[in-house]
Each structure stands twice: as C-alpha cells, then as structure tokens.
Amino acid sequence: MKIHTRLPIWLSAFGFPGLGQFVQKRWIAGLIFSSGFLVGFFWVMAIAVHNIIELYAMAFTDRMPEPIPVSAFTRPLLIVAVVYLISLFDVFRAQQRILSRQHEETFLKANETPDS
C-alpha cells in the first residue's frame, strides 16, 4: 500500500504533532512529539479549568478568588507551539529525504548500463 507523500505533513499540521511520524513509522519521534504536545495542551487546560472554578466559586462565596494570571499560560502555550513547529519541520525534512532518495534510485535505475 503506497502512502500519499504529503499525508504525514497534513496529519501533523491538522491532526496533532506526532501523527505524521507514526505514519512514517518513526515511532520514537511520534511518541516524543505526541507526548510533548499533550503535556502542554493539558497544562493549558488545567490552568483554564482552575480559573473557571475559581470564578464560579466567587458567585457563591463572599471572598474574592485569586485566579491564575494570564502570564501563567505563556509557558505551556510556548511548549505547545514549539513542539508543533518542530514536528512540522521534522516531518517535512523526512519527506524531503524520502523523495530525494526515491528520485536518486529512479535516476540510478534509468542510467544503469547492462553488464555485457
């Protein structure tokens, strides 16, 4: 079964980082990028849920809650963005190497001289 050559790039760009590596059977890179992306994503979600809970608690109590400041979102969002961009670059470079290797093999087969 031949995989479309741009499928890993599309999966990493629109799925989530790591899917492109899994399609290319690059398991370790896929696990690293997927886990890094998910850690950053759930970190952002935990901060957001904590702030929502604190704001709802404010409606039922007389105390003013201390929500986590917006600046706390920068570190996990930076992790998510960096992992995403590195994953895209990595998949793109792997695709270029594969296409280059295929082109080289095709060229060598076309220019083979028969041994007489």
Side-chain angles (χ1 to χ4, degrees), residues 16-18 21 28-38 83 86-87 90:
F16 76 83
Q21 281 84 4
I28 295 173
L31 288 173
I32 290 170
F33 288 122
S34 296
S35 61
F37 182 78
L38 290 175
V83 167
I86 290 173
S87 174
D90 181 59

Side-chain angles (χ1 to χ4, degrees), residues 30-85:
L31 288 173
I32 290 170
F33 288 122
S34 296
S35 61
F37 182 78
L38 290 175
V39 164
F41 178 78
F42 285 117
W43 190 357
V44 169
M45 294 306 295
I47 293 171
V49 168
H50 178 268
N51 277 344
I52 290 169
I53 290 170
E54 287 292 322
L55 292 174
Y56 276 122
M58 182 176 70
F60 299 109
T61 62
D62 292 335
R63 70 176 178 83
M64 191 66 168
E66 290 284 333
I68 298 174
V70 174
S71 63
F73 283 95
T74 56
R75 193 172 299 140
L77 284 176
L78 182 64
I79 289 171
V80 168
V82 166
V83 167
Y84 179 78
L85 292 174

